[in-house]
Amino acid sequence: MNLFNLSDVGMEFGERTLFQNVSFTIGETDKIGLIGSNGTGKTTLFKILLGKMRASSGEVFQNKQTTIGYLEQHTNLTSDKTVLEEVLSVYDDVIAIEEELSNIAHQIEAGQGDLAAMTERQHKLTERFRERDGYTYQNRAKSSLLGLGFSESELSAPFSQLSGGQKTRVSLCKLLLSGANLLLLDEPTNHLDLAAVEWLENFLKDYRGAFCVISHDRYFLDKVANRIFALEYGKVTVYEGNYTRYLSLKAEREKAVKRQFDNTQQEIKRLEGIVRQQRQWNRERNIRTAESKLKVIARLEEGLVTPESEEATIRFKLSAKPGGGQDVLILDKVSMGFDNKHLFSDANLTVRKGDKMFLLGANGCGKTTLFKLICGVYQPKSGTIRLGSNIAVGWYDQTQSDLSLDKTVFEEIADAHPQMTQTEIRNALAAFLFRGEDVFAPIAELSGGERARVSLCKLMLSDVNFLLLDEPTNHLDIASREALEQALSDYDGTCLIVSHDRYFINRLAHSVCNMEQTGLSLYLGDYDYFLSKKVETRQEKVQEAPGAGKESYLQQKQAAAEARKRENDLKKVEKEIADCEQKTEELQNELSSVGSDFMKAQELSESLDALNEKLLELYEKWDELSS
């Protein structure tokens, strides 16, 4: 079953054509990644699917059975509820059924009302309650919030006090639990740390419906997508497979188009040569031959597909200030916290010249705070931080706090680098896609991606040799991320980078440093290496402890025994659930056929209530064992 079918859809704004001749279908199990540069119309395409915007041309068919859930980039949600209460609001219909079932049970118990009508209503409500996961909805809501990075204590916090990123995570949680069979997700990994992104990946991989996700996170797209819709050059091209497969198929396609273009051009030149020759001879037979060849040329030119030129993307080169010692940064037993909140302690680290090191850790663990300590904005609670000889630090702040909102793009660069001429400033800004009148745009009116490009331009022009980059790929599209990757790959200075972009980390990392409350752990490899070594490192730490060999063996033996017991218990519970559900169905069938035998109906209703109570307990036990 297709949930959506688009045929020759186009969108225009005044004289600007955003896209045209867009045709595709969305099936009921499609996992789609929608990619394209910023400004190509991805969010607009979502709004057309949602019916919030009307396409300029073409047809959009939505199946009547399609139920859409939509996550915007920036949520406008307001609420006076707690975090958990707000998420549970997606189950308002389930809660209403639960309350009605309770009222019916009390009425039947008290012998009030029309017993036959009530038992029939009870039967229908119980079916609907089970279909909507009524026995497990509270556990699902809590576990989803915890998976998306909320702590147990934050579940009872007022929603109104959350940050913008936290509110977006609550909106995402509600959407995932909404029961929609098509999810439209616009940059869902923004505001998530790595653990939460991995949780979301697992959720989407197991999701029974369809989804279409706008994302620049290439690692994420590789994990969740089975189709890629590439919105490029004003049209959508569909590729079967994940992001890596898309790259391969696109390269093959462009190679084939280029080969066909070159061959056709050669054939046209050959035919044009024949036409010139036949015209020179100027006989009747030659003139007919020339006219025939001209028709062939016209047909070839009409069917000629020109290779697509590269889209405009940032192109820049970073050069490090000469000199600097081999030891760029040394942290010795550094501890930090604010008031009663402890961030980290006993942080030891040496960053050497030429290193490209990535700093990972959960949101709020202190990564940005560490950058501010290195730059001297904060002082550590204890320990020492030492920069090497002749080391000049350049800091890219993900909040773009270095930009003045009352200035234009040109003024921002000119004031930071007064020695530069107007031509030099314009050339630098052109490398970051600010051309013509764009350079006079006010900073306050720029998008997040445009502000990121201004900050990166300032950084490129700075005379530094140690870069601190805090989430530099945020707000950048894939093409711009690739340009940044190339510039940093060629950079001959030193980099310490905070990032949740795993594709970016794998492209550049010499080492990965994981931050926890107890300090820093260093892994000499990329992100995939870090993942493979995390468990191994923990095991090594256990083995190094006094008497750890025997303890470890006993612990492993005990853990294995507990795992086997849990597995056996889980199988038993699953069998009990199946038996209960079968018995419930039998009783419900029997109840529907008792007619006016109220005594029998009362007896069956009580049995059903008892079974439903038992099922609730079994579902909770199953959830506990399976988690």
Side-chain angles (χ1 to χ4, degrees):
M1 180 181 77
N2 286 333
L3 304 178
F4 263 103
N5 185 24
L6 272 69
S7 178
D8 293 326
V9 169
M11 194 66 194
E12 298 173 0
F13 293 99
E15 296 182 357
R16 183 192 174 200
T17 299
L18 201 57
F19 48 77
Q20 58 186 351
N21 300 324
V22 170
S23 300
F24 59 76
T25 59
I26 299 177
E28 58 187 337
T29 59
D30 281 348
K31 319 294 184 189
I32 298 163
L34 177 58
I35 64 171
S37 299
N38 289 337
T40 53
K42 300 184 297 297
T43 300
T44 300
L45 192 55
F46 268 15
K47 289 181 178 177
I48 289 173
L49 293 174
L50 289 161
K52 292 184 176 182
M53 296 181 77
R54 187 177 179 84
S56 305
S57 59
E59 294 181 351
V60 179
F61 170 76
Q62 178 180 340
N63 193 304
K64 290 180 180 179
Q65 295 181 33
T66 303
T67 308
I68 303 175
Y70 176 47
L71 177 75
E72 297 180 84
Q73 277 195 59
H74 308 289
T75 181
N76 298 315
L77 182 63
T78 58
S79 173
D80 57 359
K81 299 176 180 176
T82 67
V83 171
L84 181 57
E85 287 170 347
E86 182 57 38
V87 170
L88 286 173
S89 67
V90 302
Y91 292 109
D92 281 347
D93 61 321
V94 182
I95 294 168
I97 292 171
E98 197 171 31
E99 290 174 354
E100 189 174 350
L101 280 171
S102 177
N103 291 335
I104 289 173
H106 287 138
Q107 285 179 301
I108 290 174
E109 189 176 343
Q112 300 171 350
D114 184 340
L115 187 59
M118 283 191 293
T119 51
E120 186 179 348
R121 177 66 175 161
Q122 185 183 53
H123 169 65
K124 289 179 180 177
L125 288 174
T126 302
E127 279 294 299
R128 177 63 182 149
F129 190 68
R130 186 166 59 82
E131 287 170 5
R132 285 285 283 124
D133 298 321
Y135 298 109
T136 59
Y137 75 93
Q138 294 194 44
N139 284 338
R140 283 168 60 83
K142 284 183 69 173
S143 62
S144 297
L145 281 167
L146 295 174
L148 286 170
F150 287 95
S151 65
E152 191 78 40
S153 60
E154 287 174 327
L155 301 189
S156 57
F159 178 84
S160 58
Q161 294 180 10
L162 298 182
S163 66
Q166 288 173 314
K167 288 179 179 178
T168 300
R169 280 190 279 149
V170 171
S171 296
L172 174 58
C173 189
K174 289 178 65 177
L175 180 63
L176 297 178
L177 298 171
S178 66
N181 60 3
L182 174 61
L183 303 180
L184 301 180
L185 309 173
D186 198 344
E187 293 285 1
T189 60
N190 284 358
H191 312 295
L192 300 184
D193 59 22
L194 285 174
V197 171
E198 288 168 0
W199 180 90
L200 178 60
E201 284 171 355
N202 290 326
F203 184 98
L204 291 177
K205 280 190 284 188
D206 295 336
Y207 187 65
R208 286 175 290 182
F211 62 78
C212 183
V213 53
I214 295 172
S215 182
H216 301 306
D217 188 332
R218 295 156 290 177
Y219 200 101
F220 176 74
L221 291 170
D222 262 349
K223 291 284 187 181
V224 303
N226 61 22
R227 303 179 83 195
I228 297 293
F229 288 6
L231 181 48
E232 302 166 317
Y233 317 109
K235 61 183 180 182
V236 170
T237 306
V238 177
Y239 297 87
E240 300 299 327
N242 63 8
Y243 180 78
T244 298
R245 179 66 177 152
Y246 148 76
L247 290 177
S248 173
L249 291 173
K250 183 184 178 186
E252 289 175 12
R253 178 175 172 273
E254 290 183 346
K255 192 174 178 181
V257 169
K258 178 72 165 59
R259 186 167 55 246
Q260 181 66 30
F261 178 81
D262 291 342
N263 292 340
T264 305
Q265 288 284 59
Q266 286 179 6
E267 178 64 9
I268 289 172
K269 285 180 182 178
R270 187 185 73 82
L271 292 172
E272 286 174 341
I274 293 173
V275 169
R276 283 194 300 271
Q277 186 184 63
Q278 295 294 323
R279 281 175 171 170
Q280 283 175 354
W281 292 340
N282 201 27
R283 295 173 184 169
E284 185 178 345
R285 186 180 63 184
N286 301 126
I287 292 170
R288 285 200 303 271
T289 300
E291 288 175 349
S292 173
K293 297 301 180 187
L294 283 171
K295 289 177 182 177
V296 174
I297 290 172
R299 284 199 301 272
L300 288 174
E301 287 179 336
E302 185 180 350
L304 189 64
V305 178
T306 306
E308 294 161 339
S309 59
E310 283 191 27
E311 288 184 300
T313 185
I314 59 176
R315 300 178 181 277
F316 66 103
K317 181 175 177 61
L318 288 166
S319 298
K321 173 185 175 182
Q326 288 300 311
D327 289 341
V328 174
L329 172 69
I330 297 174
L331 305 181
D332 184 21
K333 297 181 179 177
V334 174
S335 298
M336 189 59 185
F338 297 99
D339 300 325
N340 296 324
K341 184 180 181 183
H342 170 71
L343 289 176
F344 56 84
S345 58
D346 202 28
N348 298 290
L349 183 68
T350 299
V351 180
R352 302 195 184 278
K353 189 174 183 178
D355 277 353
K356 291 182 174 64
M357 183 183 293
F358 281 79
L359 184 61
L360 308 185
N363 285 347
C365 72
K367 301 184 295 294
T368 301
T369 299
L370 181 59
F371 274 15
K372 291 181 177 180
L373 288 169
I374 295 168
C375 293
V377 178
Y378 297 146
Q379 293 301 312
K381 295 289 185 184
S382 63
T384 58
I385 299 173
R386 183 168 64 84
L387 288 171
S389 172
N390 199 29
I391 296 299
V393 178
W395 178 26
Y396 173 87
D397 179 7
Q398 64 168 315
T399 64
Q400 287 106 37
S401 61
D402 61 319
L403 302 181
S404 302
L405 299 182
D406 58 341
K407 294 180 181 178
T408 65
V409 173
F410 187 91
E411 289 168 346
E412 185 70 36
I413 303 300
D415 291 349
H417 301 281
Q419 77 284 1
M420 294 178 67
T421 65
Q422 285 198 20
T423 301
E424 288 171 335
I425 292 171
R426 277 187 168 274
N427 288 340
L429 286 170
F432 289 85
L433 307 185
F434 293 103
R435 301 186 176 102
E437 294 301 308
D438 294 343
V439 302
F440 302 117
I443 298 287
E445 295 178 9
L446 299 183
S447 68
E450 289 167 332
R451 292 185 191 184
R453 286 191 269 128
V454 177
S455 285
L456 285 169
C457 185
K458 286 180 69 176
L459 190 63
M460 177 193 75
L461 300 170
S462 302
D463 191 20
V464 299
N465 50 20
F466 181 29
L467 296 178
L468 300 178
L469 306 177
D470 194 355
E471 296 287 2
T473 60
N474 274 7
H475 309 296
L476 296 182
D477 56 34
I478 290 175
S480 298
R481 291 180 187 210
E482 289 172 347
L484 178 60
E485 285 165 1
Q486 190 59 53
L488 291 174
S489 180
D490 297 337
Y491 181 59
D492 54 354
T494 307
C495 302
L496 181 60
I497 307 170
V498 171
S499 181
H500 293 142
D501 187 336
R502 294 158 293 175
Y503 202 99
F504 180 63
I505 300 170
N506 277 339
R507 282 285 305 273
L508 293 173
H510 296 164
S511 57
V512 169
C513 186
N514 191 43
M515 173 177 274
E516 296 174 331
Q517 282 193 339
T518 52
L520 302 171
S521 302
L522 189 63
Y523 300 82
L524 300 177
D526 59 13
Y527 180 78
D528 288 340
Y529 177 85
F530 157 71
L531 274 186
S532 68
K533 288 294 180 182
K534 267 202 311 184
V535 174
E536 191 177 312
T537 303
R538 287 174 186 155
Q539 289 172 346
E540 285 172 1
K541 285 181 179 178
V542 170
Q543 289 167 4
E544 286 168 6
K550 185 177 179 183
E551 258 183 64
S552 176
Y553 171 74
L554 292 173
Q555 287 171 351
Q556 288 174 14
K557 192 173 179 182
Q558 183 181 351
E562 289 174 355
R564 284 195 300 273
K565 184 178 183 304
R566 275 197 305 275
E567 189 176 347
N568 290 333
D569 289 346
L570 189 60
K571 287 178 181 175
K572 288 178 184 176
V573 170
E574 285 173 347
K575 187 177 184 309
E576 286 186 71
I577 288 173
D579 291 344
C580 271
E581 287 179 340
Q582 185 179 348
K583 184 64 176 172
T584 300
E585 189 175 345
E586 290 171 0
L587 286 175
Q588 286 169 344
N589 291 336
E590 193 176 348
L591 185 63
S592 62
S593 61
V594 294
S596 59
D597 189 345
F598 295 133
M599 292 296 291
K600 183 66 174 175
Q602 172 74 17
E603 182 185 329
L604 290 172
S605 295
E606 288 174 358
S607 298
L608 269 173
D609 288 342
L611 274 173
N612 285 332
E613 285 292 325
K614 187 177 179 182
L615 263 176
L616 181 57
E617 291 173 10
L618 287 171
Y619 280 129
E620 288 175 354
K621 192 172 181 181
W622 180 89
D623 193 52
E624 182 184 337
L625 287 167
S626 60
S627 64

